[in-house]
Amino acid sequence: MLLILTHENADFDAVASQFAAYKLYPHGIPLLPRRINRNVDQFLTLYWNKLPYVRPGDWRKRRVEELLLVDTQAPLSVRGLCKRPQVHVIDHHIGHQPKEGWHYQVEPVGATTTLLVEKLQANGLTLPFMEATLLLLGIYEDTGSLTYDTTTSRDAQAAAWLLEQGAQLSIARRFLNIPLTPEQQELYKQLQAQATWVKVEGRRIVVLATAVPVTFTDEISSVVHRLREALLPDALVALVQIGRDVQLVARSQEDHVDVSLLARAFGGGGHSRAAAALIAKHELEAVKERVLALLPQAVKPLDTVAQIMSYGVQIVAADMPVAEAAVLMQRVGYEGYPVVDPETGQLVGLLTRRAVDRAVNHDMARFPIQRIMKAGAVTVSPTDSIERLQQIMLEEGWGQVPVVMAEQAPGLQPIVGIVTRTDLLNYLFQPTMTAGEPEIRELLQQSLAVGMWQMVLAISAAADTLNMPLYFVGGLVRDVLLNKAPKDLDMVVEGDAIRLVQTLQQQFGGQVHAHRRFGTAKWFTTTAVWRAVMQDGQNRETAAASTAMPITTLPESIDFVTARTEFYREPSALPDVERGSIKLDLHRRDFTINTLAVRLDGAHLGELLDFYGGRRDLEQGMIRVLHSLSFVDDPTRMLRAARLEQRLRFMIESRTAELLLDALPMLDRVTGDRIRHEIELALREPAPARILARLHDLNILAQIHSQLAWLPQAAVSYARVPALIADPAWGAALQGESSAFIYFALWLALLPTEAQVGVMKRLRVRKATRLDMTAVTELRQALTTLSNDARPSVVAQTLRPYQPRVLLVGRAMLEDGVTAALLERYYREWRHVKTAVNGDDLRAMKLKPGPEFGRWLDQLLAARLDGEVHTRAEEMALLQELIHSA
C-alpha cells in the first residue's frame, strides 16, 4: 500500500501537495496529519465530500510498504508501517541531508505544489474548479501570492495553468485572509508585548516569546504573519510555550537571514524564508536564549561597497577646462569624474556628463569645471553597507560616489575607487549567480596541479596583505568552468601589479621583468621559486605532495597585468590603453564567455564576477559580443569568433552573427599582419579545417581576399597531418616550430598561383614562407614526373632541392601509393646516403678543383643510391673510370 504523508501543522501547500500526489497515484491514500492550520481545516470541511483525504482518527492499521512524502522529508509515525518501506520524497525545501535508499525530487521552487502541478500537466490531466483552487491555494500561500523572493517563474506558470483550469481567485482570497480568532488575537497581543529586538549584521530581528494555556489549539502561523506585517522586521522568530512543549515559528523577509537554520537546530525544518519546529519538553526561556545565540549563524554578513565598487579611479582637477573634460568623457565613455583640488588633492566635487554637455551647449567650454561641478565631498568606504550607499545616493543625488579608506583621518583620505548608480542597480536587480564561492574555489583546486594551487594561495596571501584585489580572468576561468585544466596562472591586479610581483620576489626569489609604462610584470618562476612556494604552504600534507611533483610540469613564468580599459580613436585601429578597474578591464574583452573573472585575494578567493552574462552563455554554448560596435572596434574579433566557436563546439549567437555580417567591410581596414596572426592562431588549433570552413561560410575569407576560399578537398590532406607530425622522423621536419605552415601551405596550394600570390601579399607573409610556398608548388609538379619504377638516384635528384617542411607538405598531399612510398623512402633513407669518397680525396689525387668535382661526386652518389657501388674501393674504381672518361 502507498501512503501519502506531509508534515504536522499542515498549511495549504502541504495538503494541496497531498491531493496532487493522489491525482497522480490514485492507488495511494492521502493521510492528513493530526494538526492542520485553521484556514486549511475550514476549506477541507467545506469541500470534504469531494476530497479523498483520510483523517488520523479514521485510519485503520494496514501494512504500508511504500511512502510518498510531500512538502516534508521526515515521515510521521503511522501504524502498520513496515520496517523498510520504499520512500519517495517530493519537496521544495533544500539543504536536508538525504537518507540512504530514499528517492528524492527536491527542487528550489516557491511551493511543493508547483512540482506536482508540473507532473499533472505532463500527464495531460485536467481538474475541476474546486481541485484547481485547492492547488492554487497551495502555491499562493507559500509564495505570498507570487510576491515572495523565493517565487520562481515555474510557480507563476503553474498558477497560470490552474487559473486556466478554472481556479477561483475569490475562494482563494477568502481562505488566505481569514480573521484571527479571539484566542489568536490574545496571542498576538502577548507576543507583541514580549518583543525582544536585536540587530545582527545590520539586520533588525525580533524574537517574540510567550506562554499560552494547554487548551490553545489554534494555529500560530497566521498570528506570526500578522505580526510580521505590523512590525516590519527583517526576520521574526515566535516562541510559544504550550504545556511542556515550545512551538517555534520563524519568518524572514530577505535572503540574508536563513530561518531554516534556526528550525533545524531544534529538529524542525522549512526553507530560508519560513520554518518551524516543535521543541518537546523544553522551557521557554532556555529556548529563547539558544535562539538568540544561534542568530549570528543564521544571518549572512552585510553586503558591502567593496563587493560592487571599482578599484582605481580617474580623477580630474578643478581647474581643468570644460572643453578638455568633454574630450576626455567622449574618449573614455565615463559618465562622471571625482573632482579634486589641484593643490591638496582632496575631493571637492563631482563632474557629470550632463553638466559638461550643458556647459558646452551654453558656450562655457573655456571655463574651469569648478564652475559646473556638483560641489561637495560625498564619499563611502569599502566597508560601508549597500544600504548606506543607496541612502547616500538618494539623499545627495550623486550617481558616482568616490570610495575612500575609512581608517584615514578626514581630509587625508585618498580616493581608492568609485561606485556608480549602475553598480548599485546591477546589485539590486540582476539575478543571483548560480556559482557560489565554495563551488568556484573547489573547481579551481581540482583543475590546477597541486603546485599551481599552492602558488595561487601564496599570491592570494600577498595580494591580501597589500589590499590589492587579484583576479583570474578570461580564458582561464572559462576553461575551469568547462572542466579543462589551465596551463598558466596569468593574473590581473586592481592596483600596482609591479609592487605585488616585487613583494613576491622578495619572499620567494626569482627574476622580475617589469614595464612600468603599461603596469605589467613577468615573474620568472624557477625551480627554486616553486620549491619555496610549496614549502610555504600552510597545509604541510599538500605541500609534501607538491614537492614530489615534477617542477618541469609547472609554468616557467607568471604574467601580472594591472587592470586597464581601452578606447578606439577610430574603427579598426589598435586601441589606446589606460589604467582602469576590473569591470572596465572585462568590458574591453571580445566575447561574454571571456568576461568571467574569479577573485583570488585573501577571503575573496573563489568569488565569481559575471557582469555580462558570461556563465549563462557558457552553459548555453553561445559566442556573443558585448556590444553592437564590437566588430567595428576590432574586426579581427570575427576570426576569433569562428576560432572559439569551433574549438568549443559552440554557436555564434544570432544577433552576433548579424553584427559580424554587417561589419565584414571593416576587415579591409585591418593590416595584413594582424589578420595573418589570427589565421596562424586558427591553424595552431586542434581542428583547423573546421575553423577555415566556418570562416569560408561566414564570407570572412572572401572579404580578406576575393580569391581566398576553403576547398573541401584540403580537409583530406589536413586529416593526414596529425599522424605525420606524430611520427618522430616527419615531426623533426618542423624543427621545433608549430605545424601552422604545413596547414597554410596545404590550404593555399589548391588555389591558383595568382590567388596564392595575392593572398600572401594581403597577409604580408614573410619572405621565407613565400619562398617555401613557391617550392611547394614546384614540388607538386615534380612529384608528377616520378614514374612508378623511378630509380632512387632519380628520386633523390628530383627531391633534393626541397626543405624538409616542404617535403612534409608534399607527403600530406599524397594518398598512400607508389609516389608516396618513393617520397617516404627518400625522406627516411635516401636523403641520408653519403659517398665514402669526397672532395678531399679528389684533391689528394692532385686534381684541379672545378665543376667536374661536383658532377663526379653526384655520379658516385647516384651509383651508391642505385646499388651499383657499395664500398669505398668500388667508389674509387668508378671515380677512376669517370676521370679517365673525362
Side-chain angles (χ1 to χ4, degrees):
M1 173 182 292
L2 169 65
L3 207 56
I4 304 171
L5 302 178
T6 189
H7 56 80
E8 291 289 354
N9 300 310
D11 55 9
F12 269 116
D13 189 29
V15 296
S17 297
Q18 280 188 291
F19 179 78
Y22 169 77
K23 297 289 290 187
L24 292 165
Y25 311 104
H27 62 286
I29 297 176
L31 179 62
L32 292 172
R34 293 175 178 80
R35 293 185 296 276
I36 300 172
N37 288 352
R38 187 163 59 91
N39 57 341
V40 178
D41 193 44
Q42 289 179 0
F43 182 93
L44 296 180
T45 300
L46 184 61
Y47 295 102
W48 184 257
N49 292 335
K50 298 180 180 180
L51 298 170
Y53 298 104
V54 174
R55 294 190 184 277
D58 298 328
W59 170 250
R60 295 294 177 265
K61 180 178 179 181
R62 282 176 272 179
R63 181 174 175 80
V64 177
E65 299 174 338
E66 191 175 4
L67 289 180
L68 175 55
L69 307 181
V70 293
D71 202 39
T72 184
Q73 298 180 36
L76 302 176
S77 176
V78 178
R79 290 175 296 166
L81 188 64
C82 69
K83 289 186 178 180
R84 298 182 180 275
Q86 295 183 22
V87 181
H88 304 264
V89 175
I90 301 177
D91 192 15
H92 73 130
H93 300 107
I94 60 175
H96 290 265
Q97 186 67 30
K99 296 186 179 181
E100 186 177 353
W102 288 21
H103 304 279
Y104 290 85
Q105 181 188 354
V106 181
E107 301 180 41
V109 293
T112 301
T113 305
T114 295
L115 301 175
L116 291 148
V117 167
E118 290 175 344
K119 291 178 178 289
L120 294 174
Q121 289 179 270
N123 288 352
L125 298 177
T126 59
L127 303 172
F129 84 91
M130 184 275 298
E131 295 178 357
T133 302
L134 172 58
L135 300 189
L136 185 69
L137 280 163
I139 295 175
Y140 271 22
E141 189 173 63
D142 250 31
T143 64
S145 299
L146 305 179
T147 63
Y148 293 165
D149 289 347
T150 51
T151 305
T152 68
S153 60
R154 294 169 64 182
D155 299 299
Q157 290 165 1
W161 181 76
L162 292 171
L163 290 171
E164 292 174 358
Q165 297 293 305
Q168 300 294 303
L169 289 173
S170 59
I171 299 176
R173 282 195 302 273
R174 173 186 170 190
F175 287 98
L176 288 175
N177 299 288
I178 62 172
L180 299 179
T181 64
E183 290 80 6
Q184 287 177 317
Q185 293 176 19
E186 181 60 28
L187 176 60
Y188 180 101
K189 294 176 183 177
Q190 291 182 30
L191 287 171
Q192 189 176 34
Q194 298 296 325
T196 300
W197 288 89
V198 294
K199 201 166 188 178
V200 182
E201 295 288 350
R203 309 295 173 183
R204 297 171 61 254
I205 302 173
V206 60
V207 179
L208 314 167
T210 191
V212 295
V214 180
T215 55
F216 183 91
T217 57
D218 279 321
E219 64 183 273
I220 300 172
S221 58
S222 296
V223 179
V224 170
H225 179 73
R226 298 302 209 296
L227 285 165
R228 183 179 60 178
E229 291 180 342
L231 300 176
L232 297 177
D234 293 316
L236 180 151
V237 182
L239 303 171
V240 180
Q241 179 99 49
I242 306 176
R244 299 179 61 189
D245 302 336
V246 176
Q247 286 196 27
L248 180 151
V249 180
R251 297 291 184 265
S252 171
Q253 293 284 81
E254 54 180 59
D255 291 334
H256 288 84
V257 184
D258 183 358
V259 294
S260 67
L261 186 147
L262 299 175
R264 286 199 297 270
F266 293 100
H271 51 79
S272 62
R273 297 299 187 88
L278 177 62
I279 310 160
K281 299 179 182 178
H282 277 70
E283 294 299 325
L284 184 63
E285 282 303 316
V287 174
K288 181 180 177 180
E289 287 181 12
R290 190 177 176 199
V291 167
L292 291 171
L294 287 169
L295 282 178
Q297 301 177 33
V299 182
K300 298 177 184 177
L302 275 175
D303 289 342
T304 63
V305 169
Q307 295 174 242
I308 65 171
M309 65 178 281
S310 296
Y311 287 84
V313 60
Q314 292 189 4
I315 57 177
V316 292
D319 57 359
M320 175 185 282
V322 170
E324 187 177 336
V327 172
L328 183 65
M329 285 184 165
Q330 183 178 15
R331 184 182 68 178
V332 181
Y334 290 176
E335 293 296 322
Y337 285 90
V339 182
V340 298
D341 185 291
E343 296 181 0
T344 66
Q346 294 305 302
L347 180 69
V348 294
L350 176 72
L351 180 68
T352 65
R353 180 185 289 271
R354 182 182 180 190
V356 170
D357 291 342
R358 293 183 65 183
V360 171
N361 290 336
H362 288 82
D363 197 25
M364 296 178 64
R366 66 187 183 280
F367 290 102
I369 60 176
Q370 189 171 13
R371 294 277 298 272
I372 65 170
M373 71 182 187
K374 287 183 177 180
V378 178
T379 63
V380 292
S381 76
T383 56
D384 282 339
S385 68
I386 301 293
E387 285 81 357
R388 172 170 165 73
L389 169 67
Q390 186 174 3
Q391 190 64 32
I392 286 175
M393 284 187 169
L394 290 173
E395 292 175 354
E396 303 294 340
W398 284 37
Q400 297 86 23
V401 180
V403 183
V404 299
M405 300 307 293
E407 58 269 20
Q408 296 287 339
L412 300 175
Q413 300 166 311
I415 301 173
V416 297
I418 196 162
V419 59
T420 69
R421 184 181 290 112
T422 301
D423 296 329
L424 178 61
L425 292 175
N426 288 338
Y427 166 82
L428 293 175
F429 297 112
Q430 282 191 350
T432 304
M433 299 172 191
T434 56
E437 176 182 324
E439 174 197 348
I440 300 298
R441 181 177 175 131
E442 184 177 346
L443 276 175
L444 280 174
Q445 189 170 0
Q446 291 173 351
S447 302
L448 294 170
V450 178
M452 294 171 72
W453 176 245
Q454 282 294 316
M455 178 65 80
V456 169
L457 296 179
I459 301 174
S460 169
D464 187 50
T465 301
L466 296 173
N467 197 28
M468 290 185 189
L470 177 74
Y471 305 91
F472 280 145
V473 299
L476 187 150
V477 180
R478 180 196 68 218
D479 290 345
V480 166
L481 292 174
L482 291 174
N483 296 316
K484 297 181 180 180
K487 295 181 175 60
D488 55 51
L489 291 178
D490 299 342
M491 302 180 187
V492 173
V493 183
E494 271 188 318
D496 189 344
I498 297 174
R499 183 185 171 200
L500 172 60
V501 179
Q502 289 172 341
T503 301
L504 293 167
Q505 182 189 31
Q506 292 172 4
Q507 185 175 0
F508 300 110
Q511 296 296 315
V512 173
H513 287 180
H515 298 277
R516 193 157 295 279
R517 177 185 171 191
F518 302 106
T520 63
K522 181 185 286 290
W523 183 27
F524 291 92
T525 48
T526 62
T527 299
V529 170
W530 282 106
R531 296 206 182 279
V533 168
M534 294 171 187
Q535 291 170 5
D536 184 68
Q538 294 181 357
N539 186 332
R540 293 302 174 184
E541 182 179 349
T542 305
S546 303
T547 306
M549 181 181 180
I551 300 297
T552 53
T553 64
L554 300 171
E556 296 179 355
S557 64
I558 302 174
D559 288 324
F560 293 80
V561 180
T562 299
R564 54 193 177 176
T565 184
E566 62 186 26
F567 56 90
Y568 294 82
R569 293 184 182 274
E570 59 183 56
S572 308
L574 291 172
D576 291 337
V577 178
E578 293 183 356
R579 183 169 171 174
S581 65
I582 186 63
K583 196 174 302 180
L584 293 172
D585 190 282
L586 296 174
H587 186 265
R588 70 185 179 87
R589 297 176 184 270
D590 45 15
F591 309 111
T592 58
I593 61 173
N594 288 335
T595 63
L596 295 163
V598 174
R599 191 165 173 180
L600 303 173
D601 52 297
H604 298 284
L605 178 58
E607 292 179 3
L608 178 68
L609 277 65
D610 183 7
F611 300 114
Y612 307 106
R615 182 128 199 225
R616 175 201 61 206
D617 287 340
L618 200 62
E619 291 171 347
Q620 295 178 357
M622 289 291 179
I623 305 294
R624 187 194 310 269
V625 290
L626 272 69
H627 55 87
S628 58
L629 294 179
S630 182
F631 293 127
V632 175
D633 285 343
D634 184 359
T636 61
R637 288 172 176 166
M638 303 182 201
L639 289 89
R640 291 204 292 277
R643 173 161 54 90
L644 203 55
E645 177 194 51
Q646 295 306 308
R647 180 204 300 171
L648 302 177
R649 305 310 294 264
F650 280 15
M651 286 292 295
I652 296 176
E653 181 261 338
S654 58
R655 176 57 179 161
T656 299
E658 292 175 5
L659 294 171
L660 186 153
L661 183 63
D662 292 342
L664 279 174
M666 302 304 298
L667 280 168
D668 298 342
R669 305 174 64 171
V670 182
T671 65
D673 299 276
R674 293 181 63 200
I675 294 177
R676 186 188 71 247
H677 175 69
E678 292 295 334
I679 289 176
E680 288 174 352
L681 291 176
L683 296 176
R684 292 190 179 104
E685 291 283 334
R690 287 206 313 264
I691 300 172
L692 294 176
R694 184 61 167 146
L695 291 171
H696 179 90
D697 293 342
L698 292 169
N699 293 323
I700 293 174
L701 297 182
Q703 190 67 47
I704 294 172
H705 190 277
S706 58
Q707 292 181 283
L708 184 58
W710 170 254
L711 301 178
Q713 53 265 45
V716 179
S717 299
Y718 272 41
R720 300 188 186 107
V721 174
L724 284 172
I725 61 178
D727 183 309
W730 282 113
L734 297 176
Q735 297 181 339
E737 297 183 358
S738 76
S739 55
F741 169 76
I742 309 303
Y743 289 116
F744 182 76
L746 290 170
W747 173 25
L748 260 63
L750 298 178
L751 302 179
T753 303
E754 177 187 353
Q756 293 181 28
V757 174
V759 168
M760 288 192 290
K761 183 178 180 180
R762 171 69 178 95
L763 298 180
R764 296 175 59 87
V765 170
R766 303 173 187 86
K767 182 179 179 180
T769 301
R770 294 199 306 271
L771 292 175
D772 280 353
M773 195 66 234
T774 301
V776 168
T777 302
E778 295 173 354
L779 175 62
R780 289 188 70 196
Q781 181 62 34
L783 289 171
T784 63
T785 65
L786 294 176
S787 62
N788 291 348
D789 56 353
R791 301 176 69 183
S793 60
V794 174
V795 175
Q797 183 179 8
T798 302
L799 301 182
R800 189 176 298 123
Y802 304 108
Q803 296 292 329
R805 73 172 188 169
V806 174
L807 295 173
L808 174 55
V809 174
R811 178 62 187 89
M813 291 178 177
L814 296 173
E815 295 181 10
D816 290 340
V818 175
T819 304
L822 291 174
L823 177 54
E824 286 277 355
R825 287 289 302 275
Y826 169 74
Y827 183 78
R828 295 177 182 277
E829 179 182 346
W830 294 336
R831 72 188 179 102
H832 301 297
V833 173
K834 306 293 181 184
T835 59
V837 175
N838 55 38
D840 293 337
D841 295 307
L842 294 174
R843 283 187 289 272
M845 296 169 68
K846 308 300 184 182
L847 295 172
K848 184 179 180 179
E852 293 83 358
F853 272 31
R855 287 195 294 271
W856 291 338
L857 291 175
D858 285 345
Q859 288 176 292
L860 289 178
L861 178 60
R864 172 78 77 162
L865 285 167
D866 293 339
E868 296 174 358
V869 297
H870 300 86
T871 65
R872 176 181 172 82
E874 291 176 349
E875 285 185 13
M876 291 297 294
L878 178 58
L879 177 61
Q880 293 292 347
E881 293 179 11
L882 295 174
I883 294 172
H884 180 73
S885 299

